[in-house]
């Protein structure tokens, strides 16, 4: 996803979480008081780069640093293929009409301790507590 440029890998994750802070929700899990994991969740009606301000200071600058073949791979192959596979697997409009996770990360030393599961369970509890209003559900699902 960052080609042969490991220096871009961290920036890619930073850009993803920055987009989440600007257009979704970001949750941080701690383990014994230490940050152990983070998850970016987008509620119904929101997408990772659904608003122009989500890419400023992150993805815009990251894509500008990609060489032409990597930029072309992202724009002409990965994003269209990912979108098509999502539509095929979930159905047209389902992703935007649902809460979706993008991304989830757990520090290696805290993996297999339930941190990732806790981040997912937290949002599942929010969804159960605040279901979609009928008007929002109709607007999102057509």
């Amino acid at each position: 996803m960052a080609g042969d440029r490991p220096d871009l890998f961290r920036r890619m994750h930073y850009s993803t979480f920055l987009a989440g802070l600007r257009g979704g929700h970001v949750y941080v899990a701690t383990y014994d008081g230490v940050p152990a994991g983070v998850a970016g969740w987008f509620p119904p009606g929101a997408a990772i780069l659904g608003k122009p301000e989500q890419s400023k200071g992150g993805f815009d600058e990251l894509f500008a640093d990609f060489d032409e073949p990597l930029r072309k791979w992202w724009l002409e192959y990965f994003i269209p293929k990912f979108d098509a596979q999502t539509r095929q697997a979930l159905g047209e409009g389902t992703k935007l009409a649902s809460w979706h996770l993008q991304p989830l990360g757990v520090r290696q030393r805290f993996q297999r301790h339930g941190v990732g599961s806790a981040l997912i369970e937290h949002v599942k509890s929010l969804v159960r507590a605040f279901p979609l209003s009928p008007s929002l559900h109709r607007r999102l699902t057509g």
Side-chain angles (χ1 to χ4, degrees), residues 41 49 51 53 66 75 94 100 104 107 115 119 136:
W41 285 92
L49 294 176
K51 301 175 190 172
E53 64 268 17
F66 285 171
L75 297 175
T94 301
H100 58 279
L104 170 74
R107 292 172 116 179
V115 174
L119 287 164
L136 179 60

Side-chain angles (χ1 to χ4, degrees), residues 75-125:
L75 297 175
E76 295 179 18
Y77 176 77
F78 178 74
I79 292 173
K81 187 161 185 92
F82 179 79
D83 289 344
Q85 287 179 333
T86 301
R87 279 192 307 278
Q88 182 181 5
L90 302 176
E92 188 69 42
T94 301
K95 181 178 177 185
L96 192 58
S98 307
W99 280 85
H100 58 279
L101 172 66
Q102 198 167 346
L104 170 74
V106 177
R107 292 172 116 179
Q108 189 171 7
R109 71 179 192 222
F110 297 112
Q111 292 177 4
R112 316 278 311 152
H113 288 87
V115 174
S117 295
L119 287 164
I120 291 171
E121 288 301 319
H122 176 70
V123 171
K124 284 171 66 176
S125 70

